Amino acid sequence: MENSFDVIIIGGGIIGSSIAYQLSKMGRKVVILEKDRLACQASSAAAGMLAAQAEIEQDGPLFQMALKSRAMFPTLSSELFEYTGIDIELVNKGMLKIAETEEIASIVHKQVTFQRKWDPAITWLDKKELLELEPSLSPSISGAMFLPNDGHVQPANLSRAYAQAAAYFGTEIREYTEVVSINYENGQVKGVNTSHGVIHGEQVVVATGAWAAKLMRESGLEINVYPVKGECFSVRPEKPVINTTIFSDKRCYLVPKRNGEIYIGATMIEHTFDQTVTPRGIASLIERATQLVPELNEAPWERVWSGIRPQTGDGMPYIGEHPSWKGLYVAAGHFRNGILLGPITGKLVADLLAERLLDRTLLSAFHLERHEETVV
Amino acid sequence: MENSFDVIIIGGGIIGSSIAYQLSKMGRKVVILEKDRLACQASSAAAGMLAAQAEIEQDGPLFQMALKSRAMFPTLSSELFEYTGIDIELVNKGMLKIAETEEIASIVHKQVTFQRKWDPAITWLDKKELLELEPSLSPSISGAMFLPNDGHVQPANLSRAYAQAAAYFGTEIREYTEVVSINYENGQVKGVNTSHGVIHGEQVVVATGAWAAKLMRESGLEINVYPVKGECFSVRPEKPVINTTIFSDKRCYLVPKRNGEIYIGATMIEHTFDQTVTPRGIASLIERATQLVPELNEAPWERVWSGIRPQTGDGMPYIGEHPSWKGLYVAAGHFRNGILLGPITGKLVADLLAERLLDRTLLSAFHLERHEETVV
Amino acid sequence: MENSFDVIIIGGGIIGSSIAYQLSKMGRKVVILEKDRLACQASSAAAGMLAAQAEIEQDGPLFQMALKSRAMFPTLSSELFEYTGIDIELVNKGMLKIAETEEIASIVHKQVTFQRKWDPAITWLDKKELLELEPSLSPSISGAMFLPNDGHVQPANLSRAYAQAAAYFGTEIREYTEVVSINYENGQVKGVNTSHGVIHGEQVVVATGAWAAKLMRESGLEINVYPVKGECFSVRPEKPVINTTIFSDKRCYLVPKRNGEIYIGATMIEHTFDQTVTPRGIASLIERATQLVPELNEAPWERVWSGIRPQTGDGMPYIGEHPSWKGLYVAAGHFRNGILLGPITGKLVADLLAERLLDRTLLSAFHLERHEETVV
Amino acid sequence: MENSFDVIIIGGGIIGSSIAYQLSKMGRKVVILEKDRLACQASSAAAGMLAAQAEIEQDGPLFQMALKSRAMFPTLSSELFEYTGIDIELVNKGMLKIAETEEIASIVHKQVTFQRKWDPAITWLDKKELLELEPSLSPSISGAMFLPNDGHVQPANLSRAYAQAAAYFGTEIREYTEVVSINYENGQVKGVNTSHGVIHGEQVVVATGAWAAKLMRESGLEINVYPVKGECFSVRPEKPVINTTIFSDKRCYLVPKRNGEIYIGATMIEHTFDQTVTPRGIASLIERATQLVPELNEAPWERVWSGIRPQTGDGMPYIGEHPSWKGLYVAAGHFRNGILLGPITGKLVADLLAERLLDRTLLSAFHLERHEETVV
């Protein structure tokens, strides 16, 4: 078994697989080390919303990255299907950001003005227009921002397609392989020790989401990544209920997937790696979802699940090189935006490692040593 | 393939299998015809409570049958295990009938007096005694009737064990075999037409639960059996939460099963064969269950399911022979008591068919022609 | 509840839903009656191959229908997505009809000549060309016919999308509603009796697949439709294994689906409605599949399932009106081609009912009274 | 949250939970740290055979431990049910060790003589006697050793019952809590660092099965524990097929469980933590199982699964204290006998930690420093 690579990527989720894909397309010799199965954590549990403009409410590096990443999806969808036969199920039917009360409506109204700078197709819908578009919504809702270009994908398919496309270009995938420690000599990373022996390589990327802090701590660097559990459930109506993604004040979203399921998410339980779904979580989701769309009360139940999302102290991911261990990189902490930001993160990190990244301005906001400024 | 039998039983649920077991033990040549898989409907969906005295609140034929049937379980458990290796998971840790308010407490108190006639071990527990027995119960509960002899079994195992034990004594089991019509000549049943051809036999038992009315209608007899959907969910706590079965005012029960799951049931949706589980149903179960035992809010979610229970106009099962078609029998309509009443029903019907039933008093309340008196 | 319709469709599988869609688009008032859930039988169990030219080896009405139906898929895919948001996952990566030995190669070679009349893009690939296209195939294979235009869809999604699109145009969908008998007066159908009461309508379509013969028998017509169980399993490789659909001599096919699963099917067990999957069936599928693609031996196991396909005496579906009961129609018996033939069947039957079918030549081969000529 | 304990147990499988139960019954303050969910690895995947005499073929410490442990089950079963309501599903219907050929028969015959020293109820059954006991066995089998006292339990239930009973006596259970490193000062263990912070305690037990070597390596001790994957599948016949456990030459066993399933296991794939089930593994299990019991070919398929068992260089578990880190203990490497040996291991380790273990002879064979002598 080959044990020497140009780049070792720790973590087989959306971020790691996206980086591997970009690097192997450049001809780099890459290995992905995944302690369980590919995409077995947050990357599969996500709802897959590409909520660039519905979720991020102010300009800045994260917002700019989100816009850039969202723009990559149409091409990516064809490209990955070509290489792997996997369909990422890109849907561009738009998103509604619901204003449940008149009070929220005035806030959302301002958002419309702001977001239209970036996408003039965004509009405000009053109650009447809203019910014309989505007749199943509760008539008690005041209105909504309509974002026709915020869509969604099938997150597990996206992750798997990235990994298979990486494999197509030569990436080696090793599942059930846990990294125990990182090898380091004279200021330079030399490889990793795994549950299956040593692997050599002078570039190592830690892309282990909510589990990233532990491995970095061994290198003497504290990054403030912490877990936030999100519980979800889904129904599968036999008749069409909603067409667009419904997004309400970050506390509840409804995503109509291409197989006919509607995903309903998600709770936020901070500082736990515990993945159990609880009656409390499910009851709160049902309450919120049926306030938005009352007829979901009668929709056929499908399943429940949860995921552990990597939040950070200041809400921005960590992307960059270790300040003193040359060759050690982190790409983690994308919280609820891992699917949306996966493509651009893969591109930026690959360019960074290949020394092709001319403009590092965008990444400067995500550097690894900013923890001292953060307040959790 | 043999196509002539002494007795043809239509329906492979708990009732049909129990009858088949008793008849084949007597040496009769029996076939069970099941349109899908054995025990695939209410018999598997049940919680398996043997709530003889918690559920039935007044004396009468149903109550007497329930007491008799409950008394059969200990012996039955050993017997079925001996013949089949299947454990029906009989638990005799008792049941609590909860009085949530002072008002209900006074009603339940009277029940204690009544039920003690039949089982002097039954007692009233005030709030303090109750919390000593089950510390996880909500302190807002007023008290409870404690029925130390009402237990529970694993219903799917009970049904499968009955069927396998029947097979052990020679019963032929035919799954995926639907009965289309019943053959009849000169006042005497002659067999049935099935999706796999004709089967001959001069005794036919209709034991198809909520689906019984349709087949009987063809014989000119209207029996008032109708479907009532019950939705359930379960959790699997990692620490013990409750020991006894908790039974509250028929609207909610919690059954701690022998594999560590707690079953939480059940809604009641009348007049539907639709088996989908709905968010409305699940939300109402969570609300009720966590009012009784608040820490269930955090218990790990396991699964949801539903079943279609056969209710009747007057709440009593139909057990007996057709008034004019000789050889045609019904045993259906046990509603929420099919598991509890399965053993005695099997015994009574087998004795009836074998002309060994000396005292028919008990069965007279369940005869098939009482529909004209009922008001739904 | 409304109980009078223009057209009553019995059966909520691919055939019934496709007919309902076409009729409701024409403005007819339609109801679908399904005894369980929509698409719960063969329509969900199918692999979804659109094997117009790989499976049908000679010209004739079935072949012509297959070509016409296949041509409908691209437009249909967009149309259904538009109305329902469901993606039928149409893949057009081609199909390989494998010639495992030199002997079979000479037969397949002749097929190439024949099929090229209808699609000049079809070619013969010798061993070397074949392994270039699909390097995972066993080197012992002699060659293959490559059909670049035979693809596949996700069958459950296709069925659900048809039903939802029908609902969008006003079709009423009633699940868990079983038809007991058909009402008929003076040579004219008048409606049906169901488990939920009478429904009126002067056009009734029986689209119940392998279960169609029973209902027709009551109208005095014997149609020779019988059940053939097909067992399947699937794997989900983490690296791409095959791109095209692999089809070998009708005994085994491998279909790489858009979610990364590879479906492997299917056994053929005649004259049974029993849907259990058996070790014998699974062992035979593994053996055949790994002879074709040896590395499937190590692919991660996903799941097993089965379906009951409606075969007929002469291998052709029954589509047409009852000879004496006016208003009673059948569309059943599509065997392994229900997904492929669903679109054209829907169109033809809708036109037939609406009296818009100008040319009935194509349907004449499928008329309902041809049973006397068939030998099973 | 309390963070100081008498004993910290790493690993929530059968071994860790059994130790916790014994220690907390003695009044020690115990915490179980489990990186995922309790019993989520080999402890749930096991078939649960208590094959003390069928599997171990010569006298010695392992054999003596196995006999002692098996003898604990009847009492344990009542005890755990009393404290937790969970039934470990102990079955004592005996085991058959099959001799497939005449050649193997002569070897098994000698085993009968040897094993009868420990249990005079053990007998040799020739072909005729064997088929009388188990008529479904293949008539090509030469004979079998019958061990009437080797039974089985439900392994997941046993593990959960141990953990819940430990919790009943005060053990704290922390799931989703990974131990990163062990704290050590001046020759004495001081606690552990976890993904949720530091936990203090002067006795730490490593009970992490196949994952034990890694954690011990950090303490400077190499123990030769390595993973062996075992794949299994199950069927659920509707009629009784076998009553006893069938055990053939270690390559295949059939265990009829108390819920009616028959477990069929297990492959042995060394040196992998990869838990995927493969077509190769399933095909080999089907082949072996149907050679023993041909009618399993037609039994209804239920499910597949796998587990990672902890094998050691010399086939014996590691149980004992670290040679230089005072307070650090290991109990791991029980391979296919973890369920059988769980009770005695729990008792011995608890006594060892509590300094109540008077006779250490038995444990001396399992000490931690024997790796230098082993050849893998």
Side-chain angles (χ1 to χ4, degrees):
Chain A
M1 195 160 67
E2 179 61 60
N3 277 321
S4 186
F5 294 88
D6 294 341
V7 184
I8 297 165
I9 293 173
I10 311 174
I14 175 67
I15 302 297
S17 299
S18 161
I19 296 168
Y21 171 68
Q22 298 292 354
L23 284 168
S24 53
K25 264 177 81 178
M26 291 175 187
R28 308 295 296 274
K29 197 177 154 199
V30 179
V31 67
I32 296 176
L33 306 177
E34 163 56 47
K35 73 173 172 176
D36 201 293
R37 294 200 68 182
L38 288 177
C40 66
Q41 297 286 355
S43 301
S44 281
M49 283 187 294
L50 307 179
Q53 292 184 275
E55 181 140 11
I56 308 174
E57 300 185 347
Q58 54 200 22
D59 195 7
L62 195 63
F63 185 66
Q64 290 305 320
M65 262 184 86
L67 291 181
K68 281 195 173 64
S69 207
R70 189 184 61 189
M72 294 170 74
F73 275 88
T75 307
L76 187 66
S77 171
S78 320
E79 206 173 295
L80 293 177
F81 182 63
E82 186 53 35
Y83 297 134
T84 69
I86 297 177
D87 178 11
I88 65 170
E89 300 187 17
L90 177 61
V91 172
N92 269 323
K93 292 213 157 183
M95 197 175 286
L96 285 167
K97 184 162 188 175
I98 299 294
E100 291 182 68
T101 62
E102 287 301 323
E103 205 177 340
I104 299 172
S106 71
I107 300 168
V108 174
H109 232 298
K110 281 175 204 150
Q111 273 294 310
V112 173
T113 314
F114 168 70
Q115 297 290 0
R116 283 175 59 89
K117 284 186 224 164
W118 313 101
D119 181 356
I122 290 172
T123 52
W124 167 257
L125 302 182
D126 64 21
K127 183 182 297 207
K128 189 165 158 289
E129 293 162 325
L130 182 60
L131 290 173
E132 265 161 30
L133 185 67
E134 287 290 4
S136 301
L137 282 170
S138 164
S140 71
I141 293 169
S142 289
M145 170 161 64
F146 181 47
L147 306 104
N149 293 311
D150 271 9
H152 56 87
V153 297
Q154 222 300 320
N157 286 12
L158 177 63
S159 289
R160 282 194 205 106
Y162 258 134
Q164 287 206 13
Y168 175 89
F169 285 107
T171 287
E172 178 107 9
I173 292 171
R174 301 202 184 155
E175 297 183 309
Y176 297 105
T177 301
E178 188 170 357
V179 171
V180 177
S181 57
I182 297 168
N183 293 324
Y184 167 81
E185 268 174 39
N186 305 323
Q188 168 65 49
V189 161
K190 290 294 183 187
V192 296
N193 297 313
T194 80
S195 51
H196 293 304
V198 176
I199 297 177
H200 306 287
E202 299 212 339
Q203 289 188 320
V204 171
V205 183
V206 174
T208 52
W211 290 263
K214 186 182 91 174
L215 213 53
M216 293 312 293
R217 197 167 297 132
E218 294 178 23
S219 75
L221 190 75
E222 284 292 335
I223 57 171
N224 187 3
V225 177
Y226 63 90
V228 179
K229 172 165 74 170
E231 297 153 291
C232 299
F233 79 102
S234 71
V235 294
R236 196 195 285 268
E238 291 303 346
K239 299 175 192 174
V241 175
I242 51 171
N243 286 299
T244 52
T245 301
I246 311 292
F247 189 95
S248 169
D249 194 25
K250 294 192 184 173
R251 296 178 317 118
C252 183
Y253 51 76
L254 313 175
V255 189
K257 307 303 288 185
R258 289 179 86 157
N259 69 346
E261 262 181 287
I262 300 177
Y263 288 6
I264 296 158
T267 59
M268 296 224 265
I269 319 290
E270 296 201 332
H271 298 290
T272 181
F273 286 102
D274 182 335
Q275 297 184 38
T276 51
V277 173
T278 64
R280 183 193 299 285
I282 294 301
S284 75
L285 291 172
I286 295 174
E287 189 189 353
R288 292 171 200 176
T290 56
Q291 274 169 6
L292 292 171
V293 180
E295 73 183 78
L296 289 177
N297 259 316
E298 315 301 339
W301 191 270
E302 190 75 15
R303 57 196 177 97
V304 308
W305 69 94
S306 77
I308 301 298
R309 297 160 302 186
Q311 178 58 304
T312 66
D314 58 4
M316 293 210 286
Y318 288 96
I319 307 175
E321 192 170 7
H322 191 284
S324 52
W325 288 34
K326 195 167 168 341
L328 179 58
Y329 298 82
V330 174
H334 294 72
F335 193 39
R336 317 200 321 173
N337 296 309
I339 299 301
L340 169 62
L341 299 175
I344 191 72
T345 301
K347 191 81 186 63
L348 289 172
V349 173
D351 285 349
L352 182 67
L353 267 72
E355 299 192 352
R356 293 188 189 181
L357 190 65
L358 302 180
D359 179 0
R360 301 199 178 189
T361 330
L362 195 59
L363 281 191
S364 65
F366 310 129
H367 73 96
L368 311 191
E369 293 168 283
R370 65 186 202 271
H371 63 279
E372 60 273 20
E373 310 136 35
T374 61
V375 179
V376 191
Chain B
M1 196 159 67
E2 179 61 59
N3 278 320
S4 186
F5 294 88
D6 295 341
V7 185
I8 297 166
I9 294 174
I10 311 174
I14 175 69
I15 301 298
S17 298
S18 162
I19 296 168
Y21 171 68
Q22 298 292 352
L23 284 168
S24 53
K25 264 178 81 178
M26 291 175 186
R28 307 294 295 274
K29 197 175 152 199
V30 179
V31 67
I32 296 176
L33 306 177
E34 163 57 46
K35 73 173 170 174
D36 200 293
R37 294 199 68 183
L38 288 177
C40 66
Q41 297 286 356
S43 302
S44 281
M49 283 187 294
L50 306 179
Q53 291 184 275
E55 181 140 10
I56 308 173
E57 300 185 347
Q58 55 200 20
D59 195 8
L62 195 63
F63 185 66
Q64 290 305 320
M65 261 185 86
L67 291 180
K68 280 196 174 63
S69 207
R70 189 183 61 188
M72 294 170 74
F73 276 88
T75 307
L76 186 67
S77 171
S78 320
E79 206 172 294
L80 293 177
F81 182 64
E82 186 54 33
Y83 297 133
T84 68
I86 296 178
D87 178 13
I88 66 170
E89 300 188 15
L90 177 61
V91 172
N92 270 324
K93 293 213 157 185
M95 199 175 284
L96 285 167
K97 184 161 187 176
I98 298 294
E100 291 182 66
T101 62
E102 286 302 322
E103 206 177 339
I104 299 173
S106 70
I107 300 167
V108 174
H109 232 297
K110 281 176 204 147
Q111 272 295 309
V112 173
T113 313
F114 167 70
Q115 296 291 359
R116 283 175 60 88
K117 285 187 223 163
W118 313 101
D119 180 355
I122 289 174
T123 53
W124 167 258
L125 301 182
D126 64 21
K127 183 182 296 208
K128 190 166 156 288
E129 293 161 325
L130 182 61
L131 289 173
E132 264 161 31
L133 184 68
E134 287 290 5
S136 301
L137 281 171
S138 165
S140 71
I141 293 169
S142 290
M145 170 160 62
F146 181 49
L147 307 104
N149 294 312
D150 270 10
H152 56 87
V153 297
Q154 223 300 319
N157 286 13
L158 176 64
S159 290
R160 283 193 206 107
Y162 258 133
Q164 287 206 12
Y168 175 90
F169 286 107
T171 287
E172 178 107 11
I173 293 171
R174 300 202 185 155
E175 297 183 308
Y176 297 104
T177 301
E178 187 170 357
V179 170
V180 177
S181 57
I182 297 168
N183 292 324
Y184 166 82
E185 269 174 39
N186 305 321
Q188 168 66 48
V189 161
K190 290 295 183 187
V192 297
N193 297 313
T194 80
S195 50
H196 293 304
V198 176
I199 297 177
H200 306 286
E202 299 212 340
Q203 288 187 320
V204 171
V205 184
V206 174
T208 52
W211 290 263
K214 186 182 92 175
L215 213 52
M216 293 312 293
R217 196 167 297 131
E218 294 178 24
S219 75
L221 190 74
E222 284 291 335
I223 57 171
N224 187 3
V225 177
Y226 62 90
V228 179
K229 173 165 75 169
E231 297 153 290
C232 298
F233 79 101
S234 72
V235 294
R236 195 194 286 268
E238 291 303 345
K239 300 175 189 173
V241 174
I242 51 171
N243 286 298
T244 51
T245 301
I246 311 293
F247 188 96
S248 168
D249 194 26
K250 293 191 187 175
R251 296 179 316 116
C252 183
Y253 52 76
L254 313 175
V255 188
K257 308 302 289 185
R258 288 180 86 157
N259 69 347
E261 262 182 288
I262 299 177
Y263 287 6
I264 295 159
T267 58
M268 296 223 266
I269 319 290
E270 297 200 330
H271 297 291
T272 180
F273 287 102
D274 182 335
Q275 297 183 38
T276 50
V277 173
T278 64
R280 183 193 299 283
I282 294 300
S284 75
L285 290 172
I286 295 174
E287 190 189 352
R288 293 172 200 175
T290 57
Q291 274 169 7
L292 292 171
V293 180
E295 72 184 80
L296 288 178
N297 260 315
E298 315 301 340
W301 191 269
E302 191 74 13
R303 59 198 177 93
V304 308
W305 70 94
S306 77
I308 301 298
R309 296 160 304 186
Q311 178 58 304
T312 66
D314 57 5
M316 294 210 286
Y318 288 96
I319 306 175
E321 193 170 6
H322 191 285
S324 52
W325 288 34
K326 196 168 166 340
L328 179 57
Y329 298 82
V330 174
H334 293 73
F335 193 37
R336 316 200 323 172
N337 296 307
I339 300 300
L340 169 62
L341 299 175
I344 191 73
T345 302
K347 191 81 185 63
L348 290 171
V349 173
D351 285 349
L352 183 66
L353 267 73
E355 299 192 353
R356 294 186 188 181
L357 190 66
L358 303 180
D359 179 0
R360 300 200 178 188
T361 330
L362 194 59
L363 281 191
S364 65
F366 311 128
H367 73 94
L368 311 191
E369 293 168 284
R370 64 187 202 270
H371 64 279
E372 59 273 20
E373 309 137 35
T374 62
V375 179
V376 190
Chain C
M1 196 159 65
E2 179 60 61
N3 279 320
S4 186
F5 295 88
D6 294 341
V7 184
I8 297 167
I9 295 174
I10 311 174
I14 175 68
I15 301 298
S17 298
S18 161
I19 296 168
Y21 171 68
Q22 298 291 353
L23 283 168
S24 52
K25 263 177 81 177
M26 290 175 188
R28 307 295 296 275
K29 196 176 152 198
V30 180
V31 67
I32 296 176
L33 306 176
E34 163 56 46
K35 74 172 170 176
D36 201 293
R37 294 199 68 182
L38 288 178
C40 66
Q41 297 286 356
S43 301
S44 280
M49 284 187 294
L50 306 179
Q53 291 183 276
E55 182 141 10
I56 308 172
E57 300 184 348
Q58 55 201 20
D59 195 8
L62 195 63
F63 185 67
Q64 290 305 320
M65 261 186 85
L67 291 180
K68 279 196 174 65
S69 207
R70 189 183 62 189
M72 293 169 75
F73 276 88
T75 306
L76 187 66
S77 172
S78 320
E79 205 173 294
L80 293 178
F81 182 63
E82 186 54 33
Y83 296 134
T84 69
I86 296 178
D87 178 12
I88 67 170
E89 300 188 16
L90 177 61
V91 172
N92 270 322
K93 293 213 157 185
M95 199 175 286
L96 285 166
K97 184 162 188 176
I98 299 293
E100 291 182 67
T101 62
E102 286 302 322
E103 206 177 340
I104 299 173
S106 70
I107 301 168
V108 174
H109 232 296
K110 281 177 205 149
Q111 272 295 308
V112 173
T113 314
F114 167 70
Q115 297 290 359
R116 283 174 60 87
K117 283 187 226 164
W118 314 101
D119 180 356
I122 290 174
T123 53
W124 166 258
L125 302 182
D126 65 21
K127 184 182 295 207
K128 189 165 156 289
E129 294 162 325
L130 182 60
L131 289 173
E132 265 162 29
L133 184 68
E134 287 289 6
S136 301
L137 281 170
S138 165
S140 71
I141 293 169
S142 288
M145 170 160 64
F146 180 48
L147 306 104
N149 293 313
D150 270 9
H152 55 88
V153 297
Q154 222 301 319
N157 286 12
L158 177 64
S159 290
R160 282 193 206 107
Y162 259 133
Q164 287 206 10
Y168 175 89
F169 285 107
T171 287
E172 177 106 12
I173 294 171
R174 301 204 184 155
E175 298 184 307
Y176 297 104
T177 301
E178 188 170 357
V179 170
V180 178
S181 57
I182 297 168
N183 293 325
Y184 166 82
E185 270 174 37
N186 306 321
Q188 168 65 48
V189 160
K190 291 295 184 188
V192 297
N193 297 314
T194 79
S195 49
H196 294 303
V198 176
I199 297 177
H200 306 286
E202 299 213 339
Q203 288 188 320
V204 171
V205 184
V206 175
T208 54
W211 290 262
K214 187 183 91 176
L215 213 53
M216 292 313 292
R217 196 167 298 132
E218 294 178 22
S219 74
L221 190 75
E222 284 292 334
I223 57 171
N224 187 3
V225 177
Y226 62 90
V228 179
K229 174 166 73 170
E231 297 153 292
C232 299
F233 78 102
S234 72
V235 294
R236 195 194 286 268
E238 292 303 346
K239 300 173 190 176
V241 174
I242 51 170
N243 285 299
T244 51
T245 301
I246 310 293
F247 189 95
S248 168
D249 193 27
K250 293 192 185 173
R251 296 179 316 116
C252 184
Y253 51 76
L254 312 175
V255 188
K257 306 304 286 186
R258 289 179 86 158
N259 69 347
E261 262 182 287
I262 299 177
Y263 288 5
I264 296 159
T267 59
M268 296 224 267
I269 319 290
E270 297 200 330
H271 297 291
T272 180
F273 287 101
D274 182 335
Q275 297 184 38
T276 51
V277 173
T278 64
R280 183 193 300 285
I282 295 299
S284 76
L285 290 171
I286 295 174
E287 190 189 353
R288 293 171 199 175
T290 56
Q291 274 169 8
L292 292 171
V293 180
E295 72 184 78
L296 288 178
N297 260 314
E298 315 301 339
W301 191 270
E302 191 75 12
R303 58 199 177 95
V304 308
W305 70 96
S306 77
I308 301 298
R309 296 158 306 186
Q311 178 57 304
T312 66
D314 57 4
M316 293 209 288
Y318 288 95
I319 306 175
E321 191 171 5
H322 190 286
S324 52
W325 288 33
K326 193 164 166 347
L328 179 58
Y329 298 82
V330 174
H334 293 73
F335 193 37
R336 317 200 321 172
N337 295 308
I339 299 300
L340 169 62
L341 299 175
I344 191 73
T345 302
K347 191 80 185 64
L348 289 172
V349 174
D351 285 350
L352 183 66
L353 268 72
E355 299 191 352
R356 294 185 189 182
L357 190 66
L358 303 181
D359 179 1
R360 301 200 178 189
T361 330
L362 194 59
L363 280 191
S364 65
F366 311 130
H367 73 95
L368 312 192
E369 294 168 285
R370 64 187 202 271
H371 64 279
E372 59 274 20
E373 309 136 36
T374 63
V375 179
V376 190
Chain D
M1 195 159 66
E2 178 61 61
N3 278 321
S4 186
F5 295 88
D6 295 340
V7 184
I8 297 165
I9 294 173
I10 311 174
I14 174 67
I15 302 297
S17 298
S18 161
I19 297 169
Y21 171 67
Q22 297 292 353
L23 283 168
S24 52
K25 263 178 81 179
M26 291 176 187
R28 307 295 297 274
K29 197 176 153 199
V30 179
V31 67
I32 296 175
L33 306 177
E34 163 57 46
K35 75 172 170 177
D36 201 293
R37 293 199 69 184
L38 289 177
C40 66
Q41 297 286 356
S43 301
S44 280
M49 284 187 294
L50 306 179
Q53 291 183 275
E55 181 141 10
I56 308 173
E57 300 184 347
Q58 54 201 21
D59 195 8
L62 195 63
F63 186 65
Q64 290 305 320
M65 262 185 84
L67 292 181
K68 281 195 172 65
S69 207
R70 189 184 62 189
M72 293 170 74
F73 275 88
T75 306
L76 186 66
S77 171
S78 321
E79 206 173 295
L80 292 177
F81 182 63
E82 185 53 35
Y83 296 134
T84 70
I86 296 177
D87 178 12
I88 65 170
E89 300 188 17
L90 177 62
V91 173
N92 270 323
K93 294 212 157 186
M95 198 175 286
L96 286 167
K97 184 162 188 175
I98 298 294
E100 291 182 68
T101 62
E102 286 301 322
E103 206 177 339
I104 299 173
S106 70
I107 300 168
V108 174
H109 232 294
K110 281 177 205 149
Q111 273 294 310
V112 173
T113 313
F114 167 70
Q115 297 290 0
R116 283 175 58 87
K117 284 187 225 165
W118 314 102
D119 181 356
I122 290 173
T123 53
W124 168 257
L125 302 181
D126 64 21
K127 183 182 296 206
K128 190 166 157 289
E129 293 162 325
L130 182 60
L131 289 173
E132 265 161 30
L133 185 67
E134 287 290 4
S136 302
L137 282 170
S138 165
S140 71
I141 293 169
S142 290
M145 170 161 63
F146 180 47
L147 306 105
N149 294 312
D150 272 9
H152 56 86
V153 296
Q154 222 301 319
N157 286 12
L158 177 64
S159 290
R160 282 194 205 107
Y162 258 134
Q164 287 206 12
Y168 175 88
F169 284 107
T171 287
E172 178 107 11
I173 293 171
R174 301 202 184 155
E175 297 183 309
Y176 297 105
T177 301
E178 187 170 359
V179 171
V180 178
S181 57
I182 297 168
N183 293 326
Y184 167 81
E185 269 174 39
N186 305 322
Q188 168 64 50
V189 161
K190 291 294 183 188
V192 297
N193 298 313
T194 80
S195 51
H196 293 303
V198 176
I199 297 176
H200 306 285
E202 300 213 340
Q203 289 188 319
V204 171
V205 183
V206 174
T208 53
W211 290 263
K214 186 182 93 175
L215 212 54
M216 293 312 292
R217 197 167 297 131
E218 294 178 23
S219 74
L221 190 75
E222 284 291 334
I223 57 171
N224 187 4
V225 177
Y226 63 90
V228 179
K229 173 165 75 171
E231 296 153 291
C232 299
F233 79 101
S234 72
V235 294
R236 196 195 285 267
E238 291 303 346
K239 299 174 190 176
V241 175
I242 51 170
N243 285 300
T244 52
T245 301
I246 311 292
F247 188 95
S248 169
D249 194 25
K250 294 191 183 173
R251 295 179 317 117
C252 184
Y253 52 77
L254 312 174
V255 188
K257 307 304 288 185
R258 289 180 86 158
N259 69 347
E261 262 182 288
I262 300 178
Y263 287 7
I264 296 159
T267 59
M268 295 223 267
I269 319 290
E270 296 201 331
H271 298 290
T272 181
F273 286 101
D274 182 334
Q275 297 185 40
T276 51
V277 172
T278 64
R280 182 192 300 285
I282 294 301
S284 76
L285 291 171
I286 295 173
E287 190 189 352
R288 293 171 198 174
T290 56
Q291 274 169 7
L292 292 171
V293 179
E295 73 183 78
L296 289 178
N297 260 316
E298 314 302 340
W301 191 270
E302 190 75 13
R303 58 197 176 96
V304 308
W305 70 95
S306 77
I308 301 297
R309 297 160 305 186
Q311 177 58 303
T312 66
D314 58 3
M316 294 209 288
Y318 288 95
I319 305 175
E321 192 171 5
H322 191 285
S324 52
W325 288 34
K326 195 167 166 340
L328 179 57
Y329 298 82
V330 174
H334 294 73
F335 193 38
R336 317 201 320 173
N337 296 308
I339 299 301
L340 169 61
L341 298 175
I344 191 73
T345 302
K347 192 79 185 65
L348 288 172
V349 173
D351 285 349
L352 183 67
L353 267 73
E355 299 192 351
R356 294 186 189 183
L357 190 66
L358 302 180
D359 179 0
R360 300 199 178 189
T361 330
L362 194 60
L363 281 191
S364 65
F366 310 130
H367 73 95
L368 311 192
E369 293 167 283
R370 64 187 202 271
H371 63 280
E372 60 272 22
E373 309 136 35
T374 61
V375 179
V376 190

